[in-house]
Amino acid sequence: MLTVDFSRFPLAPGDRVLDLGCGAGRHAFECYRRGAQVVALDQNGEEIREVAKWFAAMKEAGEAPQGATATAMEGDALALPFPDESFDVVIISEVMEHIPDDKGVLAEMVRVLKPGGRIAITVPRYGPEKVCWALSDAYHEVEGGHIRIYKADELLAKIREAGLKPYGTHHAHALHSPYWWLKCAFGVDNDKALPVKAYHKLLVWDIMKKPLATRVAEQALNPLIGKSFVAYATKPHLPKLNEAGADAK
């Protein structure tokens, strides 16, 4: 289940991609399939080991084209172990709402992104997330849980302040909002509640079969109750300087 829409976020074979806070690796795997040179980074060592196993399995199965590479590594989003301007593309999906110093993370992403490079940022959407917080304290008051809810304008302002230029936004995963509302209402750890079980079965069916009915329904509902807000931006090229050190015209 991808949150980033690659039709709006073009990826070329050979692009060097950082999936920051990769989690289980869903976006990293897609980038690998598209021929990128992928680095999947997360602070969770257990998840990184699983991502590395899947990378190896994908290579063995021939799922990635020739020239594609994939590396999984532990790391700190606030102190990325890469030189300046190392990546053509950076993806950070459902991560920034967990990190107190979100401006510091943005600064690190901008540092390692090449001029002209592209960045995709996804966070929980304000409205659906407010419902979850209202229904359940346990949903967000956990170690490593969500510490803030972004309004779209707030996130875009921070993106601009970091030196990036937003070029597009959309919402995703509308069918998942009611599932999390049910989880929050019946208990976030209570997977045995009948409404939760029934809706989970629907989501699994949707993800596995991709039926037209649910695809159309989700597209129609995304602007209203999409669970995620997605923003795309580029890092501008710096103006060239002439020999006197002034901007070249």
Side-chain angles (χ1 to χ4, degrees), residues 9-44:
F9 190 65
L11 191 68
D15 275 352
R16 186 161 165 78
V17 178
L18 172 63
D19 185 2
L20 180 55
C22 64
R26 57 201 173 103
H27 289 105
F29 300 149
E30 180 64 20
C31 293
Y32 189 32
R33 291 188 186 98
R34 289 171 178 261
Q37 298 176 3
V38 184
V39 176
L41 183 144
D42 201 284
Q43 67 177 2
N44 186 317

Side-chain angles (χ1 to χ4, degrees), residues 209-233:
K209 300 297 184 180
K210 297 181 175 61
L212 179 61
T214 56
R215 295 299 87 213
V216 171
E218 183 153 83
Q219 286 182 3
L221 290 171
N222 273 337
L224 301 173
I225 59 169
K227 183 74 170 65
S228 295
F229 174 70
V230 188
Y232 305 108

Side-chain angles (χ1 to χ4, degrees), residues 65-79:
Q66 187 175 3
T69 61
T71 303
M73 61 185 296
E74 289 185 60
D76 182 354
L78 289 165

